[in-house]
Amino acid sequence: MNAPVPCGIRHLDLSRPLPEIHPHKDERALLIYYWEDNVPLGRSLLLTEELPISATGLPALAAVACAPAFAEPADTTCLPPLDLDHSDVSVIVCTRDRADAIDRCLSALALCDPPPGEIVIVNNDPDPNALAPLVTTYPNMRFVHETRPGLASARNAGIRASSGKVLAFTDDDVSVAPNWITALLRPFADPSIAIVTGPVLPARLETAAEFAFEFDIGGLASSLVPSFFDRSFLDTSFGDAPPVWKIGAGANMAIRADALRQLGGFDERLGAGTSGCSEDSEAFYRLLGAGWTGRYRPEVVVHHRHRADETAFRRQMRAYMRGHVAALLIQFSENGNSGNLIRAFVGLPAYLAARQVVGWLCRFGFAWIDPHTDVARGTRLAQIGGLLEGYFYWLRWFRSPKSRLSTPELSA
């Protein structure tokens, strides 16, 4: 199936009169988000054949899309007064060789109201002067140069340079919402909360790769239903790995500083630039295992620019699979949960093998059995390669002295 791109994105406020929805000239589909009080409640994907939608027809469409959010029981937790304010938040953004992306990210952060106490930009580029032009453009932001490659190393450098009680992380290809600081801070009134995450909405869906990442792969954190996580989330039946990747994404997460420092920060064997990903979910795993809790809140919103190029998308899917496998094996070696091991050596290979068989059947006229787009199907061999690389990556690092990878100064 060809992706219906370019796909337009519309954001509708349900508290205002709803308009008639028309696609623009070149749009082949529309993704509509429904909001109320700065909270996204649901979304609808419509092909141009289903458009236009009249103002009188939209309420029924919105009701179906928002039903999961409305079906969720109201959160009646009585939180104590918040003893933190925006000045207690340190925002950490890591970047490498993407000046245009970090410029957009910082422009959005500059619009946060209220602003965070500090913004720490970690330059993971070998050239310490790579971000020099931005220093004068954003004088109230701190820049740190980290020579060790890898997102986890860069984030740990940002932790060491930060002074806030809450550490908020986002990526250089992300634009945060103006109320982001207020939204992520409120759950920390509960002293048991160490993790707050939220939706990562697509900033654009103009290419087949962007569309495939959002709808075939599932995006980064696309749920619009609030969730709560505690240590019981790690308790699974035999053969199941705790799905910590469902807690949220590193592109939109805030963590209590004391809790993260106590556990040694991020595992520098994981993440973009090393294993490929999962330094965020592995940290969530350790935090929940230590007795902390987490919340996924729909009002904590950021917008992400997905990979637009198909070649870059395939590389991303290969890296994601490699990093996921490495994280599963590291989690097993750290805590002995056999579900991680079974997912790595049984569940994932079986899933990828089945998807590859389905892909072959599609070539012989059975395309109806696979709803994924052609671009998503094209990533399956890359994912199989990433699976194999994940095994060898873990073996290489497992034999290395762990002291090379730990960051004891974080918990000093």
Side-chain angles (χ1 to χ4, degrees), residues 16-352:
R16 298 181 179 182
L18 297 176
E20 184 171 302
I21 300 297
H22 294 267
H24 293 159
K25 180 179 179 181
D26 298 326
E27 291 173 339
R28 297 184 56 203
L30 283 181
L31 177 61
I32 304 173
Y33 281 95
Y34 307 101
W35 296 69
E36 191 170 59
D37 296 328
N38 292 320
V39 181
L41 299 175
R43 69 179 189 178
S44 302
L45 177 64
L46 302 173
L47 301 180
T48 52
E49 292 82 358
E50 303 173 270
L51 298 169
I53 297 292
S54 68
T56 56
L58 263 177
L61 197 67
V64 172
C66 300
F70 288 129
E72 187 70 14
D75 187 353
T76 58
T77 304
C78 184
L79 293 176
L82 182 63
D83 61 352
L84 302 168
D85 64 28
H86 61 96
S87 65
D88 293 309
V89 179
S90 294
V91 176
I92 300 172
V93 185
C94 304
T95 188
R96 177 186 170 92
D97 194 27
R98 296 204 291 191
D100 290 343
I102 191 65
D103 195 18
R104 286 191 296 268
C105 175
L106 297 184
S107 296
L109 284 169
L111 297 176
C112 282
D113 184 18
E118 63 180 354
I119 299 175
V120 178
I121 311 303
V122 183
N123 175 15
N124 207 206
D125 194 289
D127 179 6
N129 298 314
L131 296 178
L134 292 177
V135 174
T136 55
T137 306
Y138 301 98
N140 295 325
M141 301 182 186
R142 299 176 57 195
F143 288 81
V144 175
H145 185 226
E146 174 53 64
T147 57
R148 293 175 300 160
L151 180 56
S153 295
R155 282 183 166 156
N156 284 342
I159 296 170
R160 287 191 290 270
S162 300
S163 59
K165 296 178 181 178
V166 171
L167 305 179
F169 297 86
T170 190
D171 293 341
D172 61 4
D173 52 4
V174 164
S175 297
V176 305
N179 68 331
W180 187 57
I181 299 299
T182 299
L184 66 84
L185 194 57
R186 181 56 190 161
F188 286 103
D190 181 343
S192 74
I193 294 289
I195 307 163
V196 174
T197 60
V200 181
L201 309 185
R204 64 182 188 184
L205 295 170
E206 297 175 359
T207 71
E210 292 171 333
F211 188 92
F213 182 79
E214 182 64 26
F215 291 103
D216 293 317
I217 305 302
L220 289 174
S222 58
S223 174
L224 301 179
V225 177
S227 301
F228 175 80
F229 307 94
D230 59 15
R231 190 167 185 168
S232 66
F233 183 73
L234 303 180
D235 298 331
T236 57
S237 60
F238 178 78
D240 289 337
V244 285
W245 54 89
K246 293 184 178 180
I247 295 175
N252 186 16
M253 65 180 177
I255 303 178
R256 196 177 293 271
D258 289 346
L260 188 56
R261 287 193 171 99
Q262 184 180 11
L263 293 181
F266 295 96
D267 191 321
E268 295 178 3
R269 294 171 288 185
L270 299 172
T274 50
S275 72
C277 71
S278 294
E279 84 295 337
D280 46 6
S281 59
E282 190 278 335
F284 298 158
Y285 198 115
R286 283 184 285 128
L287 286 163
L288 295 186
W292 293 97
T293 62
R295 284 186 178 270
Y296 179 96
R297 300 297 305 173
E299 64 269 25
V300 185
V301 175
V302 303
H303 300 265
H304 179 257
R305 294 171 74 93
H306 302 339
R307 302 288 193 280
D309 177 75
E310 293 182 24
T311 301
F313 177 50
R314 285 193 294 271
R315 287 198 301 265
Q316 182 185 25
M317 291 301 97
R318 188 184 192 109
Y320 276 14
M321 183 58 67
R322 182 176 64 243
H324 180 48
V325 170
L328 289 169
L329 296 175
I330 285 172
Q331 287 164 186
F332 170 73
S333 65
E334 294 290 332
N335 56 55
N337 186 322
S338 61
N340 292 294
L341 198 64
I342 294 172
R343 178 175 173 82
F345 286 103
V346 179
L348 287 176
Y351 166 78
L352 292 176

